[in-house]
């Protein structure tokens, strides 16, 4: 009569290897290389070896049936992290099979199989929870440097657009003027602007570029008037009393507005810039309004303004402010920036 122990030994080794593969995420933190349910396929090998034991003559069929119940454990491990419907389907299948292979005691067999299934699922889920948290933390740690690089690229692209855009617009205007009139003395201003662009480019790269509100208001007026556009500024004596962050954001807004008037309103003849503080107490807010004429688009349609407005919106948002812009009646265009002052006090 053949010795059954080698077969039992083979079943034990195959079962241990199968269970170890299923528990791999618990002790390594690495996900399954294949879908979890696909890892149940090796169970057919050791179950087949187990059901061959009665043919050795050392075990009766009734003695092998309880051993086949070990298949409940791998099944529970495989579906522990899967959706509830998959767990219910797997549990129902295990209960039906347990009852079918134990015709003399179907109910106790089903109850034992169900109890083992629930216990293993609960244990695996509790063991996987810290592993999942650690895995997410490691993923986040790897993503953080990439986000920092992306943020720096966005900052540089935004600052390059805001700082160099206006100088390039002025250089273009001065070049056209020189071409029409032949006034070579205008070339001196072009050279000054080119040098300023170089210094501001270095400031952008070194992340030290700022936009002082007073300087930007003066520069905007000079740019617009040099382009033949009448510019009026109404400050209401509130500019100096504003917090530093608000003044800087409004400076960028004035710069963007003036540049857009030159680029996108070729027929503009007048531009008004109004800076005021409204409200009282904790509801105080600063309002910057820039209105120009010469807009050809109909009301309700916004001309394409590139990335400047997107960058300005990103500057206003951290202060809790709002940015509104669009064509108005009678061929005018309005840019409105509102920044609350309560948080700055």
């Amino acid at each position: 009569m053949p010795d059954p122990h080698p077969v039992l030994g083979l079943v034990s080794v195959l079962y241990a290897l199968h269970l170890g593969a299923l528990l791999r995420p618990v002790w390594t933190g690495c996900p399954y290389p294949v879908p979890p349910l696909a890892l149940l396929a090796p169970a057919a090998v050791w179950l087949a070896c187990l059901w061959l034991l009665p043919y050795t003559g050392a075990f009766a069929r009734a003695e092998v049936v309880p051993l086949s119940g070990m298949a409940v454990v791998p099944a529970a491990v495989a579906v522990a992290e899967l959706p509830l419907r998959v767990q219910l389907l797997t549990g129902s299948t295990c209960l039906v099979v347990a009852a079918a292979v134990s015709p003399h005691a179907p109910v106790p067999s089903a109850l034992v199989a169900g109890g083992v299934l629930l216990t293993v699922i609960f244990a695996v889920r509790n063991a996987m929870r810290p592993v999942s948290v650690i895995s997410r933390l490691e993923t986040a740690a790897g993503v953080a440097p990439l986000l920092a690089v992306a943020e720096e690229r966005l900052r540089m692209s935004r600052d390059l657009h805001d700082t160099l855009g206006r100088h390039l617009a002025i250089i273009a205007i001065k070049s056209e003027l020189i071409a029409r009139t032949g006034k070579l003395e205008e070339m001196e201003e072009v050279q000054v602007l080119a040098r300023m662009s170089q210094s501001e480019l270095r400031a952008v790269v070194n992340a030290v570029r700022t936009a002082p509100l007073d300087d930007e208001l003066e520069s905007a007026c000079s740019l617009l008037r040099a382009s033949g556009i009448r510019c009026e500024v109404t400050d209401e004596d509130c500019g100096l009393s504003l917090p530093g962050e608000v003044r800087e954001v409004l400076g960028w807004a004035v710069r963007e507005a003036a540049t857009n008037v030159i680029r996108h309103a070729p027929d503009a003849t007048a531009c008004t810039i109004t800076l005021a503080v409204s409200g009282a107490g904790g509801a105080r807010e600063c309002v910057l309004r820039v209105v120009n004429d010469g807009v050809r688009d109909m009301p309700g349609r916004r001309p394409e303004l590139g990335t400047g407005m997107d960058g300005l919106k990103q500057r206003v948002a951290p202060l809790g402010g709002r940015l509104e812009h669009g064509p108005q009646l009678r061929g005018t265009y309005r840019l409105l920036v509102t920044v609350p002052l309560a948080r700055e006090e």
Side-chain angles (χ1 to χ4, degrees), residues 13-14 74 82 164 183 241 274 284 314:
V13 171
L14 293 176
L82 296 182
L164 299 183
K183 295 181 178 180
S241 63
T274 305
R284 295 175 67 243
Q314 293 174 4

Side-chain angles (χ1 to χ4, degrees), residues 78-100:
V79 302
E81 293 293 313
L82 296 182
L84 180 61
R85 63 178 181 275
V86 179
Q87 296 177 358
L88 292 176
L89 179 61
T90 304
S92 301
T93 303
C94 290
L95 294 181
V96 171
V97 172

